[in-house]
Amino acid sequence: VEKLLGPVRFLSDRPLTEPRTGVATGLAYTSVGGDVLLIEVLALPGKGRLKLTGSLGEVMQESATAAMSRARLHGEDLGVPATWFDEHDLHVHVPEGGVPKDGPSAGVTMLCALLSAASGRPVRNDLAMTGEITLRGDILPVGGIKEKVLAAIRAGIKDLLLPAENERDLHDLPPSARRRARIRFIARADEALEAALLPEKN
């Protein structure tokens, strides 16, 4: 095909090749199916401001704000000083900024990326996740589970975190996908952090 049409112009489903601090892998549902979505967080000296970039819609911006509040609450459990969030600005970015992104499914991924940046603990690069987060720390169910799981498998990621209430959606998956995916169902934010964050690099 490349000989006839030339090099591939649009690349997607590009997972990280190694764990990175401040970067978590999410799963998105788009008009053309599922996709892997990297969420990056950069911590800078500042005064506790939150900056969002990457053509994020209103719902995703609200998810980031909720994730930030939960991150402040969980910080001390991960060894982050209570004053750290007041002394740093956090820049949340979702690459491929020309592509509009919205929908209530990125809260848990944003939380993991935020706390990774704050604690210095890398996020597993072989793990993808989806789920919305509440201020109480609950993980809410999301749509497009079949498409998201297939996108992860297509990208070579087999370990997945999905909301507990989405377990009923597995019947939509092809049997081959169910065999290949290792899915952990989570109901609380601390379960996601336990599964996603690696020990701090020395």
Side-chain angles (χ1 to χ4, degrees):
V1 174
E2 287 190 17
K3 289 182 179 180
L4 296 174
L5 302 179
V8 176
R9 293 182 179 272
F10 300 100
L11 298 175
S12 60
D13 297 348
R14 294 166 293 183
L16 296 172
T17 57
E18 61 183 17
R20 299 281 295 276
T21 301
V23 186
T25 304
L27 297 169
Y29 178 70
T30 71
S31 59
V32 294
D35 201 0
V36 170
L37 193 70
L38 296 181
I39 293 182
E40 304 174 338
V41 175
L42 181 65
L44 302 165
K47 299 180 179 179
R49 291 181 291 261
L50 180 65
K51 181 178 182 180
L52 307 172
T53 56
S55 295
L56 304 185
E58 182 177 347
V59 176
M60 282 193 73
Q61 292 181 40
E62 292 179 355
S63 294
T65 303
M68 180 67 173
S69 295
R70 289 301 306 184
R72 295 177 72 99
L73 188 64
H74 285 284
E76 289 192 58
D77 296 336
L78 298 175
V80 181
T83 58
W84 189 91
F85 287 96
D86 296 322
E87 298 169 348
H88 292 81
D89 292 340
L90 290 167
H91 184 171
V92 178
H93 179 64
V94 183
E96 300 179 20
V99 180
K101 309 168 192 75
D102 204 10
S105 65
V108 67
T109 315
M110 289 181 173
L111 175 66
C112 290
L114 284 164
L115 280 170
S116 171
S119 67
R121 294 176 58 177
V123 182
R124 286 178 55 189
N125 63 300
D126 60 348
L127 176 73
M129 64 194 83
T130 186
E132 193 49 270
I133 191 169
T134 72
L135 291 178
R136 302 183 306 276
D138 295 330
I139 305 298
L140 299 179
V142 296
I145 291 297
K146 173 184 175 182
E147 292 80 4
K148 290 175 180 179
V149 172
L150 293 177
I153 293 173
R154 187 169 60 242
I157 300 175
K158 297 180 181 178
D159 288 331
L160 307 175
L161 298 181
L162 302 180
E165 292 185 48
N166 281 121
E167 187 170 2
R168 62 181 180 267
D169 297 312
L170 289 191
H171 72 275
D172 293 331
L173 285 175
S176 59
R178 287 199 296 267
R179 288 193 298 268
R180 295 175 65 186
R182 295 185 292 266
I183 298 173
R184 176 175 173 179
F185 293 99
I186 57 174
R188 297 284 300 169
D190 53 355
E191 296 177 69
L193 296 171
E194 178 187 0
L197 296 182
L198 296 171
E200 185 175 1
K201 291 181 178 180
N202 296 324

